Amino acid sequence: MALANIAKTKGAADNAASRLSNKRGAVAIRVSEKPGHGILVSPLGALPAGTELKLHQPEVQGLPLATALSGTRSPEGRVTHRTAPGDLVVLEAAFIEGDTLVCGRVAGRIHDGMSGPVQVMKALARISAANVHKGGFSQWVSIPDPLAARVMRSTVDVETLVTSQVGREFPGGEVSFFMRSRAGRQEFKMDPGEKVAAYVKRLVEANRLLAGGPVELMPIFSVHVGRDQSLREGINTRVETTGKVLGSVSKLYGEGYVPSLLILCDEDKWAFGGKTEKTHRVAACVEPLAIVPPIDRKMIGTANMKDASGKPMKPFETRELWSAEQMAADAKRRAPEKAAPARGYDDEGDDQPSAPLPFRSAQARRPLPGMG
């Protein structure tokens, strides 16, 4: 797929590269049916979401955008799956030049190699340090939902919140709850396969959660880093590390949380160099929306907290951008014979019962949603 060529001189190309390096922050586009064009998912500059622009990418490191849009197969059989019209590309940076979107490196994308529902989320996120061991590459993404935080006054309150969050399709993965009270702060993780009733009983009885009065609980989801995201870290996954290592993306997060754009999907689970015949929820892309100081977990604001003026804080809105109908339609278009049901993954603790979502953080948006 041909892209616009606005950098006709080396000077212009160098200027574009310099401007991109100063604008790090995720920009998402959906590939247009019109060759060489993309549609903004969120407002950019003065342009609203839904604006169609020509695409141009100067010479940058990583996967070329043109290759991502067309897909390739090498003589050795190595496949780069195509990102087709209608699917999403996340860029590390971009700026507008007339009727053209000048694109930085590809941070992540939805492509024909994915099957089943693929969700795009705007959320606070933190990427852990990576570890390479005999079992393979290990790295996690932590995703809190401050909008879903609630004050617990009874066992029924705890059970209602835990049930609603365990039953969420996205982000998926493992769930824990971060407790804040006048007495202190603590995270309580659910054990693999632990049932809701047993977990609630452990919190209330063994950990005496409510013994000192009302407490706040905030859900935190943890998912594995996917293969596409792991390749961005610049860590040799064939050499065991002596400890945990920060890669080129995870170092942007440090020990805190940063507003981010994520692509979440199900992926084959690997261990000891081979597939396990299971799938699990992964973050195929995690990219900061802006380079800002990371937020410490204990400082994440919720509506149950007050700011310096005494007013309730406005929590960061965790937002699912694709509707269930949109995800199903996209999955069928990418691979009709592989279109999977919504809960088709096998992860630790995924045998928890599905449940209604009274505390769902936000209404999923329709096709070509905005993030502003």
Side-chain angles (χ1 to χ4, degrees):
M1 182 180 292
L3 303 183
N5 181 14
I6 64 171
K8 296 182 179 179
T9 67
K10 185 178 185 301
D14 290 344
N15 180 60
S18 175
R19 290 180 65 182
L20 288 168
S21 67
N22 294 324
K23 290 182 174 291
R24 182 71 180 263
V27 174
I29 58 172
R30 293 198 81 157
V31 180
S32 173
E33 294 284 352
K34 188 175 182 180
H37 288 67
I39 301 168
L40 293 176
V41 171
S42 59
L44 183 62
L47 297 182
T51 302
E52 186 174 61
L53 296 165
K54 295 177 184 177
L55 302 177
H56 165 71
Q57 186 183 48
E59 185 175 345
V60 295
Q61 294 180 331
L63 176 69
L65 181 58
T67 301
L69 300 186
S70 62
T72 62
R73 180 183 292 272
S74 71
E76 297 78 21
R78 184 179 179 84
V79 175
T80 298
H81 293 288
R82 176 189 64 149
T83 292
D87 276 333
L88 184 94
V89 176
V90 179
L91 304 165
E92 288 186 358
F95 65 87
I96 297 168
E97 186 83 19
D99 62 351
T100 299
L101 183 69
V102 182
C103 306
R105 293 176 59 175
V106 174
R109 61 197 181 96
I110 300 175
H111 54 71
D112 287 347
M114 296 175 171
S115 62
V118 181
Q119 182 61 272
V120 182
M121 291 189 73
K122 177 185 178 184
L124 290 175
R126 180 178 71 86
I127 307 179
S128 73
N131 183 24
V132 182
H133 47 78
K134 291 181 180 180
F137 180 87
S138 178
Q139 191 176 37
W140 292 79
V141 180
S142 176
I143 308 166
D145 189 353
L147 203 63
R150 295 291 185 273
V151 174
M152 304 290 105
R153 294 181 170 85
S154 68
T155 301
V156 173
D157 290 342
V158 179
E159 184 173 12
T160 301
L161 177 64
V162 173
T163 300
S164 70
Q165 299 306 307
V166 168
R168 287 173 62 169
E169 181 183 359
F170 290 98
E174 299 181 3
V175 190
S176 62
F177 291 85
F178 184 58
M179 181 274 292
R180 284 189 286 206
S181 70
R182 295 181 183 277
R185 306 173 182 88
Q186 186 175 351
E187 183 175 353
F188 297 97
K189 296 185 178 181
M190 294 188 76
D191 295 331
E194 189 174 19
K195 303 298 183 182
V196 168
Y199 177 70
V200 172
K201 184 176 181 179
R202 174 160 64 89
L203 289 189
V204 175
E205 296 183 8
N207 291 288
R208 297 177 56 79
L209 182 72
L210 303 173
V215 302
E216 181 191 65
L217 288 182
M218 177 177 67
I220 300 179
F221 300 85
S222 296
V223 299
H224 291 270
V225 162
R227 181 178 182 278
D228 290 347
Q229 177 69 26
S230 69
L231 295 175
R232 301 178 62 208
E233 288 284 47
I235 297 171
N236 189 339
T237 59
R238 297 171 182 259
V239 179
E240 290 188 38
T241 57
T242 55
K244 295 186 179 296
V245 179
L246 288 177
S248 59
V249 181
S250 52
K251 70 180 181 182
L252 300 175
Y253 291 79
E255 294 297 322
Y257 293 84
V258 175
S260 303
L261 191 66
L262 302 96
I263 298 175
L264 299 163
C265 64
D266 297 335
E267 192 173 277
D268 289 330
K269 193 172 184 178
W270 289 66
F272 301 99
K275 293 183 180 181
T276 63
E277 299 184 354
K278 294 182 179 181
T279 59
H280 62 163
R281 179 58 46 80
V282 301
C285 172
V286 188
E287 179 64 20
L289 287 165
I291 301 302
V292 296
I295 305 169
D296 188 277
R297 181 178 58 178
K298 65 178 180 289
M299 300 303 295
I300 295 175
T302 70
N304 308 307
M305 302 170 65
K306 294 183 179 181
D307 60 22
S309 66
K311 296 180 180 179
M313 296 183 70
K314 183 178 180 181
F316 184 88
E317 182 183 356
T318 303
R319 190 183 300 174
E320 298 176 13
L321 301 185
W322 283 186
S323 67
E325 295 79 9
Q326 182 67 46
M327 289 190 291
D330 287 348
K332 185 175 181 179
R333 171 175 48 77
R334 284 193 300 272
E337 73 285 357
K338 294 183 180 179
R343 291 300 294 259
Y345 65 94
D346 179 10
D347 206 348
E348 291 82 2
D350 67 346
D351 59 344
Q352 303 288 355
S354 296
L357 309 181
F359 299 135
R360 189 176 179 84
S361 60
Q363 178 67 36
R365 297 200 171 189
R366 304 299 298 174
L368 297 180
M371 289 167 39

